[in-house]
Amino acid sequence: MKINEKSLSAYSTSASPIDKEGWLCKRGELNKGYQKRWFVLKGNLLFYFERKGDKEPLGVVILEGCSIELAENDDQFSFKIIFHGPNNRSYTLGSDSQESMEQWMKSLACASYDYMKFMVADLQRQLKELEESPMVSLQLPNNQTSLKKESNEQLSPQPPPRGRHNPFNKPTTGHQSPQRKDIVSFRKSFKELHNQLGRPILRDRNEWRFGLIKQELNNQEPLITL
């Protein structure tokens, strides 16, 4: 399988979703000591950097055809990524706590494409079993049959009463809408309204104008001063 290193390096720091990231201690292939590295998991690709925020990763582990196991003979909170087959390298990683180690092991074990195929096949098998399983029917004793019928009749919807009518429809000969007696209709012509409301307004207006004229006359100086 050919891998474009530039594309892979750009993908490691791109804005694509990150499944998990954090600090882990990685044992070297030649130097058996542990070195602290920043790991980023994206899909089935596990990138590791020298420092957090670096633009280029030091390496990548493709999580296909491998298994995640505890490193029993190594330090505490360490686990291995073991690739099956001849001349395949295994990676030993260490965490700082039991909880962190378990989270990393679960995330790495579920990252491979083979695991996804296994989960899909298992879900399809469960769905097939549910579709083929017979329906379980509950049988009631004879003395409870009548109770079941009565309860069904009570729960079944009843038709609405036929005496209802639409209040927005025009009344027919068969049904006359009751007329309210407390509503009194007042209808007057324009002339009556003008005489009733216009005359008081005109009277008030004339009184107001007369008051203004009287006030103006009082404020004027007399023509002849004695």
Side-chain angles (χ1 to χ4, degrees):
M1 180 177 61
K2 295 182 179 180
I3 299 177
N4 190 322
E5 294 183 1
K6 292 184 179 180
S7 300
L8 200 61
S9 178
Y11 176 72
S12 65
T13 57
S14 64
S16 56
I18 297 176
D19 297 321
K20 190 172 179 57
E21 61 181 352
W23 290 104
L24 289 174
C25 294
K26 174 180 171 295
R27 172 174 285 184
E29 185 177 6
L30 300 177
N31 183 9
K32 298 303 181 181
Y34 283 96
Q35 295 177 342
K36 195 173 184 180
R37 297 288 184 255
W38 179 258
F39 282 80
V40 176
L41 176 63
K42 290 187 174 184
N44 61 347
L45 300 177
L46 180 63
F47 300 94
Y48 55 94
F49 302 80
E50 184 177 1
R51 291 178 300 271
K52 181 180 179 180
D54 286 352
K55 299 300 182 181
E56 294 184 0
L58 295 177
V60 59
V61 181
I62 302 176
L63 300 172
E64 296 295 342
C66 62
S67 61
I68 312 299
E69 301 178 5
L70 283 173
E72 298 179 356
N73 298 328
D74 291 285
D75 297 335
Q76 193 177 13
F77 310 135
S78 60
F79 58 95
K80 289 184 177 182
I81 304 176
I82 301 176
F83 288 88
H84 305 284
N87 300 325
N88 284 331
R89 178 186 173 184
S90 297
Y91 295 84
T92 303
L93 305 176
S95 182
D96 56 353
S97 65
Q98 179 73 21
E99 182 181 2
S100 177
M101 181 190 70
E102 292 178 357
Q103 292 177 357
W104 271 106
M105 292 182 67
K106 290 179 181 178
S107 299
L108 297 177
C110 300
S112 65
Y113 178 70
D114 293 336
Y115 177 81
M116 297 299 296
K117 288 196 302 182
F118 171 77
M119 291 299 298
V120 171
D122 186 63
L123 291 175
Q124 290 177 346
R125 178 186 58 80
Q126 295 181 17
L127 179 61
K128 186 177 180 180
E129 290 179 355
L130 290 175
E131 292 176 349
E132 294 178 354
S133 61
M135 297 296 293
V136 180
S137 59
L138 298 177
Q139 296 182 356
L140 295 175
N142 295 330
N143 57 353
Q144 295 185 5
T145 305
S146 59
L147 296 177
K148 182 179 179 182
K149 291 182 179 179
E150 293 178 359
S151 62
N152 291 336
E153 291 177 357
Q154 293 177 359
L155 295 177
S156 60
Q158 300 295 329
R162 298 185 179 276
R164 298 187 305 172
H165 67 280
N166 191 342
F168 297 100
N169 293 339
K170 295 182 179 180
T172 58
T173 56
H175 176 77
Q176 296 291 337
S177 59
Q179 185 176 4
R180 294 183 57 181
K181 298 180 180 181
D182 56 343
I183 299 178
V184 182
S185 176
F186 295 95
R187 292 185 178 180
K188 292 185 179 181
S189 63
F190 177 77
K191 183 178 181 180
E192 293 175 346
L193 292 175
H194 182 270
N195 294 333
Q196 181 181 356
L197 302 177
R199 291 182 183 277
I201 295 175
L202 182 61
R203 183 180 65 252
D204 295 340
R205 182 173 180 272
N206 292 334
E207 291 179 358
W208 172 72
R209 292 185 63 185
F210 178 75
L212 290 179
I213 295 173
K214 186 177 180 180
Q215 183 179 1
E216 186 177 356
L217 292 175
N218 293 332
N219 293 334
Q220 289 181 357
E221 296 181 357
L223 298 177
I224 301 175
T225 304
L226 299 178

